[in-house]
Amino acid sequence: MSHSQHWDDETLAVTLGRPPHVPGAPVNYPIGVSTTFVAGDAAHSYIRSGTVGTEALELVLGAIEHGMTTVFSAGIATVSAVIDLLPANAIVVAPNHAYPGTIGRMRELASVGRIQLREVLISDTDAVIKATGDAHLVWLETPTNPLMEVADIKAIVAAAKKSKALVAVDNTFMSPTRQRPLDLGADISMHSATKSIAGHSDVLMGALSVSDKELDEKLKSRRTMMGSIPGSLECFLALRGLRTLSIRTDRAESNAQFIAEKLATDSRVERVLYVGLSSDPGHVLHHSQADGAGAVVCFIPKCDADKADLICEATQLWTHATSLGGVESTMERRRRWPVEPVDTHESLIRLSVGIENANDLWSDLDQALTKVVGK
């Protein structure tokens, strides 16, 4: 594909990572089920080191991340891989409000002396910069899950470089269609590819993208030694989902903006957290480093936690379930999970807005609010 360097990322997502265009060739790489390969090809000897399917997915995701990608068996496996690069007792700066799996893993490692963990309010740029002085790794999540706090990626990267700290950004909420941490100077862009990358709630996978070839090779080595290679079916499904990421994101984000604006003027709602609203504290900063607001909306209804649960159970179109980024819309009260930060409001509901009709989504949410809270 000699003209690929001139093509838009949306086109690359569809065209890259396919078999050669020769008569009779398949359009997609088939799902490979062999664990070992005939000797003679150094790149393909054993499944743990990767396959054609793994490489196709990494090629496409790397292209739209503007870097090189390594995929893992789960999002949480990427956290372990990055920390595995650090020396013993390394100093790690991370958000105090973050995905529970990430911060939980880091707290566990800190408890046994593997790392020194400094938790910060990620939207307090001065506090983050102060904490990075002698750090080995700065882990950002922006917007945070589920409080939607925004980190100043460029400012934090600039400070971290002075101490030669790695900067990793959990980009799961935004995806490379909306935010590219590598372009903003970060060393690593992380995804739970389970979410919007795969996009159909049928894949468990993680991904790390980098600009530096040596770092890419180190991460691939970590994956091999840790045994966290994704399966062939998962790679096939994730690449299939990645092909339509751009159009799915456009539709889901449009729906999310519509829902957020409806909730923001609803008397039954105490607060809406969504960076797409001009009233959101992180709105200006977020849009200075991203091309859209994404499809996750959080809101706090004017009711207690029990009634917030009932709202989630009263919907017919929205699915009461965890996770996010699928074509279907889901919702849940986040504090139903014991590991959720105590700073998260007991009644906060996180919406992952899908690609259904926006009016249908609002009608269903409205009737659930009416049923539980009233008109």
Side-chain angles (χ1 to χ4, degrees):
M1 297 185 179
S2 59
H3 300 290
S4 63
Q5 64 269 29
H6 305 301
W7 292 341
D8 187 87
D9 291 333
E10 294 176 344
T11 302
L12 295 178
V14 175
T15 57
L16 291 181
R18 294 189 184 275
H21 288 181
V22 297
V27 174
N28 298 306
Y29 280 111
I31 300 170
V33 293
S34 183
T35 57
T36 191
F37 303 88
V38 177
D41 182 352
H44 303 114
S45 58
Y46 189 61
I47 192 171
R48 191 171 59 232
S49 299
T51 66
V52 172
T54 309
E55 293 161 359
L57 172 59
E58 291 175 339
L59 175 65
V60 178
L61 184 52
I64 62 177
E65 277 275 26
H66 300 172
M68 296 161 281
T69 295
T70 303
V71 292
F72 292 78
S73 56
I76 197 63
T78 67
V79 180
S80 296
V82 172
I83 292 178
D84 203 45
L85 297 173
L86 306 178
N89 207 32
I91 297 171
V92 177
V93 178
N96 58 346
H97 306 145
Y99 170 63
T102 299
I103 196 64
R105 174 63 173 150
M106 290 182 178
R107 287 170 180 165
E108 179 184 54
L109 291 171
S111 71
V112 297
R114 173 62 180 89
I115 63 172
Q116 296 181 53
L117 180 61
R118 294 177 182 166
E119 297 185 36
V120 293
L121 180 64
I122 213 66
S123 57
D124 186 342
T125 305
D126 291 340
V128 179
I129 290 175
K130 183 178 180 181
T132 64
D134 55 351
H136 296 84
L137 170 68
V138 180
W139 186 279
L140 306 180
E141 185 175 291
T142 181
T144 58
N145 178 12
L147 297 183
M148 308 300 284
E149 298 150 335
V150 178
D152 189 333
I153 299 175
K154 285 185 178 180
I156 295 169
V157 164
K161 293 307 177 186
K162 294 178 181 178
S163 62
K164 297 183 179 180
L166 284 174
V167 177
V169 180
D170 185 333
N171 200 34
T172 300
F173 269 21
M174 288 296 103
S175 89
T177 65
R178 292 298 183 264
Q179 183 171 265
R180 291 187 177 88
L182 302 184
D183 289 354
L184 297 170
D187 299 289
I188 301 170
S189 178
M190 174 269 184
H191 290 281
S192 170
T194 305
K195 314 301 193 297
S196 59
I197 297 296
H200 293 77
S201 301
D202 54 10
V203 172
L204 180 67
M205 188 180 292
L208 294 172
S209 298
V210 301
S211 298
D212 182 76
K213 178 63 175 176
E214 183 179 354
L215 181 55
D216 178 64
E217 291 173 352
K218 287 180 178 178
L219 290 171
K220 285 183 169 56
S221 176
R222 297 276 80 69
R223 179 185 66 187
T224 298
M225 288 190 285
M226 295 166 65
S228 51
I229 185 78
S232 298
L233 174 61
E234 286 77 13
C235 288
F236 181 90
L237 292 174
L239 180 54
R240 176 215 58 186
L242 186 56
R243 304 291 190 196
T244 60
L245 175 62
S246 179
I247 57 174
R248 287 189 288 106
T249 301
D250 287 347
R251 176 59 177 264
E253 182 179 79
S254 175
N255 285 351
Q257 185 72 36
F258 176 79
I259 296 296
E261 290 175 358
K262 287 285 192 181
L263 290 169
T265 59
D266 196 300
S267 61
R268 298 164 297 185
V269 174
E270 179 179 325
R271 185 183 175 195
V272 180
L273 292 76
Y274 182 61
V275 291
L277 297 176
S278 59
S279 59
D280 189 274
H283 175 82
V284 174
L285 175 57
H286 174 79
H287 285 275
S288 73
Q289 60 191 20
D291 296 324
V296 177
V297 178
C298 297
F299 75 100
I300 302 171
K302 292 181 178 178
C303 63
D304 60 24
D306 290 339
K307 286 189 175 181
D309 282 331
L310 291 177
I311 292 171
C312 298
E313 295 168 5
T315 57
Q316 299 170 11
L317 181 56
W318 297 79
T319 301
H320 184 198
T322 195
S323 198
L324 55 99
V327 292
E328 68 289 329
S329 294
T330 61
M331 63 189 297
E332 66 170 341
R333 184 180 69 87
R334 284 300 295 169
R335 284 292 297 278
R336 74 189 180 101
W337 301 105
V339 293
E340 186 67 31
V342 295
D343 290 346
T344 302
H345 194 286
E346 283 280 1
S347 300
L348 182 143
I349 293 174
R350 187 184 71 188
L351 306 175
S352 172
V353 186
I355 65 172
E356 304 93 338
N357 178 274
N359 287 306
D360 289 341
L361 288 172
W362 172 247
S363 177
D364 188 38
L365 187 55
D366 180 44
Q367 67 82 24
L369 284 165
T370 298
K371 182 177 181 179
V372 177
V373 183
K375 294 185 178 180

